[in-house]
Amino acid sequence: MHASTVRTLLVRGMLAGLIAGLFAFAVAYVVGEPSVNGAIAVEEAQGGHEAHAGHEGTATSEAPEEEEGFSRTTQSTFGLATGVLVYGVALGGIAALAFSFALGRIGRFSPRATAALTAAAAFTTVYLVPFLKYPATPPAVGNPDTIGKRTTLFFLMILLSVLLGVAAVIAGRRLAPRLGNWNATLAAGAGFVAVTAIAFVVLPNNDDAVQAGFPAALLWEFRVSTLAIQAVLWAVFGVVFGVLAQKALAAREETAGNGVQLGAPAAG
């Protein structure tokens, strides 16, 4: 793919990520913030005075207002929006580069279908699989003594998941000539699940990630909300970027086709 085309897709990917970030922010504010407020209320009720521990997932950890200098309202609106939008733009650009590499290499899919598959693969490997092993922890309930260990394990799981996903795609492509596309996809997918399950067993658990006595219902609500935020982010990105990429590539092909038609008479 030509460098200018990749650059065009990169810009459109970042734009799609920005739009997806807006939707994700809406979900985070409506669905996620109530559970964050609940977690902070639990800490205050327990008389906790420690800084709120960070968590793996959406970046919504906060510290007491007097220490940070920002009100809770500012943190849950402007601060949250800034974090989610920057996150969306960054991931949108990375996903656009992955799309540029995948287009035409994973099958004869249209740009829209390839964008959807890229978004689904990114959501699965970058968030869903690591989340299943190390689910997000609300602010104020994590053990600050283990934050370094938990963060390391979470990013290790992301790296492992992405590498296994890439390996599964490569294996599926190599098996396709012998097994056919459908059977090769099933075999590669089964291999991914099997190796991931082994990794889940081998890697240590975060049994001390949540302090004892934290309400289970509130913890469940928070984790479901973080999963919903990521699902909306990647779903919107897949749809929006698919449309933008389809139009960009169609315009490139039309321009190239016109160039050939205009140049043909001169060559004759």
Side-chain angles (χ1 to χ4, degrees):
M1 186 176 292
H2 198 276
S4 62
T5 302
V6 174
R7 185 166 55 252
T8 299
L9 292 174
L10 175 62
V11 173
R12 280 160 175 72
M14 295 173 70
L15 175 60
L18 178 64
I19 296 173
L22 290 172
F23 281 84
F25 164 69
V27 176
Y29 184 77
V30 174
V31 179
E33 282 302 304
S35 60
V36 174
N37 291 331
I40 295 174
V42 168
E43 184 205 30
E44 292 176 347
Q46 293 176 345
H49 298 290
E50 299 150 349
H52 295 179
H55 65 88
E56 305 85 6
T58 54
T60 55
S61 59
E62 293 85 17
E65 294 179 11
E66 58 271 22
E67 293 184 8
E68 287 292 339
F70 294 102
S71 68
R72 177 72 187 114
T73 301
T74 300
Q75 293 172 352
S76 63
T77 53
F78 179 77
L80 177 63
T82 301
V84 173
L85 292 179
V86 171
Y87 179 78
V89 171
L91 288 187
I94 295 173
L97 295 178
F99 166 88
S100 301
F101 178 81
L103 186 63
R105 290 186 173 91
I106 60 173
R108 296 181 179 180
F109 298 106
S110 67
R112 288 185 181 181
T114 302
L117 291 172
T118 301
F123 169 71
T124 301
T125 58
V126 175
Y127 190 80
L128 181 60
V129 170
F131 174 87
L132 294 176
K133 176 62 178 176
Y134 301 118
T137 302
V141 302
N143 185 349
D145 296 331
T146 63
I147 182 63
K149 170 192 169 184
R150 290 186 283 123
T151 302
T152 299
L153 289 174
F154 183 74
F155 281 103
L156 176 61
M157 193 66 234
I158 292 178
L159 177 62
L160 182 60
S161 176
V162 171
L163 292 178
L164 290 177
V166 172
V169 172
I170 295 175
R173 291 290 294 166
R174 292 185 176 180
L175 292 173
R178 287 185 294 169
L179 303 180
N181 290 333
W182 178 250
N183 290 332
T185 300
L186 291 179
F192 174 81
V193 172
V195 178
T196 301
I198 294 174
F200 275 25
V201 174
V202 172
L203 291 174
N205 295 322
N206 277 339
D207 296 328
D208 54 354
V210 180
Q211 296 177 3
F214 188 79
L218 183 58
L219 179 62
W220 173 257
E221 178 184 341
F222 175 82
R223 288 176 171 173
V224 170
S225 68
T226 61
L227 188 61
I229 293 167
Q230 291 289 331
V232 168
L233 176 72
W234 285 110
V236 174
F237 172 81
V239 172
V240 174
F241 181 66
V243 173
L244 295 177
Q246 183 91 25
K247 291 182 177 181
L249 293 174
R252 291 273 178 176
E253 291 178 2
E254 183 179 354
T255 301
N258 291 337
V260 171
Q261 293 174 1
L262 292 174

